[in-house]
Amino acid sequence: MKFRTLGKTGYSISEVSLGTWQLGGKWGTPFDPKDAADTLAEAYNHGVNFFDTADGYQDGESEKAVGQFVRSHPDVHFTTKIGRKESPLTVDHFNPEHLTRYVDESLTNMGVDALDMVLLHCPPMPTYYMPETFFAMDKLKKAGKIKNYGVSVERVEEAIKAMSYDISAVEIIFNMFRLRPADLFFDLAKKNNIGILARVPLASGLLTGKFTADTKFAPEDHRTTNRNGEQFDKGETFSGVDYLTGVKAANELKERLGTDNLAATALRFILMYDAVSAVIPGASNPTQIDRNTVAAELPPLTDDQMKIVRDVYDKYIKNPVDYLW
C-alpha cells in the first residue's frame, strides 16, 4: 500500500481507502455488526488506514462500527459526513443549529472526543452562498469538536465554490465514467492544498465489468430505485450513466484494455491523478477488500491505455454526463 497526503490535514492516508456506505450489508439489507467489524479489520490488514462514513449510513450503525475500530487503532483516520440523514434534504439542514447537533450526534455515535474530518454531505447549491454554514464549521473546529472539514459534492461547480472557505478536502465522484473533475478542478485543488477523495469509483459496480443487460438488483437497492433520480441525485447511481450504455462501455473497456479485472484497473486509473488523495471503494464484507486493494499493486496505465479510457468516455458517456456534473 502506498500513502498520500490528505490536503491541509497533513494526514498520510492509504491511496486505496474504504467507503462504508454498504458496510455490514449490501445496499438495502440489514446491518450485520460482525461483518462490519471483520471488513474494517480486513481492510486494515491490507494497509488501509482511512475510512469514510456518514451519519446516515445504516442509521448510524456505520459510524458506530468505524468509531469502535478507530478507538483501538489510533493510526487510523476517518471522515464522517453530516446533513443528509433527515429528509427532505434542504438548505435548512446545513444551518448552524443543525450542524452543531449533527456533530454532537456523530461524536456520540463514534465515541471520540473530536472528529478527524467532517464533510457537509452533498448540500444543495444555495448552501455554498450561505457563509454562516461554513463559519459554523470554523466555530466547531475552534471548539475542538472537529479537526478538519470539507464538502462532499455532486457537481464540479460546488467543489470550486467551496474553496472560497477554509475547507481541507473535497469528496467528489470521479471514475472512468466521470472525467470532468480532472479538467479544471484537480489543478485548483492542488494549488489550494485541498485533498480529494474519489467516491463512487466503480460507478455503482458498472466498472467491475460484470454486469449484463439482464442483471437484476434487489428491489430496495438504489440501482433499482434511483435510476432516474427518484430518491437523490441521479449522478449517485451508475454515475448518472444510462445503464445499458454503461454495460456496453464497460465491455469495450475490458476488451480494449485487455483485462478481465476491470474493477482493479478502474481504481488504478483514478490513482494516475496525483491530485487524488485516495480512492474510496466500498465493501459490504471482508472478501471484497482484496478486490479493492489489489489496485495499489498494479503498474501504472500506459499513455495508450489512458487514451482508450478517454476515447470510450467520449464515445459513450460524455454526452450528457459531462455537461450535468
Side-chain angles (χ1 to χ4, degrees), residues 126-138:
T127 310
Y128 296 92
Y129 296 88
M130 296 165 47
E132 62 271 22
T133 290
F134 296 88
F135 296 162
M137 299 303 288
D138 291 330

Side-chain angles (χ1 to χ4, degrees), residues 36 43 55 62 78 80 92 139 150 152 162 166 183 264 272 290 301 325:
D55 57 5
S62 175
F78 66 91
T80 191
D92 289 340
K139 186 176 180 180
S152 180
D166 189 27
D183 292 341
M272 293 294 293
D290 186 65
L301 274 67
W325 291 282

Side-chain angles (χ1 to χ4, degrees), residues 5-20:
T5 302
L6 180 60
K8 297 174 186 175
T9 70
Y11 299 153
S12 179
I13 65 173
S14 50
E15 62 181 13
V16 178
S17 291
L18 180 66
T20 66

Side-chain angles (χ1 to χ4, degrees), residues 17 20 26 35 50 100 103 107 157 201 204 215 234 238 243 264:
S17 291
T20 66
K26 295 181 180 179
D35 264 357
F50 183 79
T100 300
V103 165
L107 286 168
E157 288 77 12
S204 306
T215 300
K234 180 181 176 181
F238 301 130
Y243 178 74

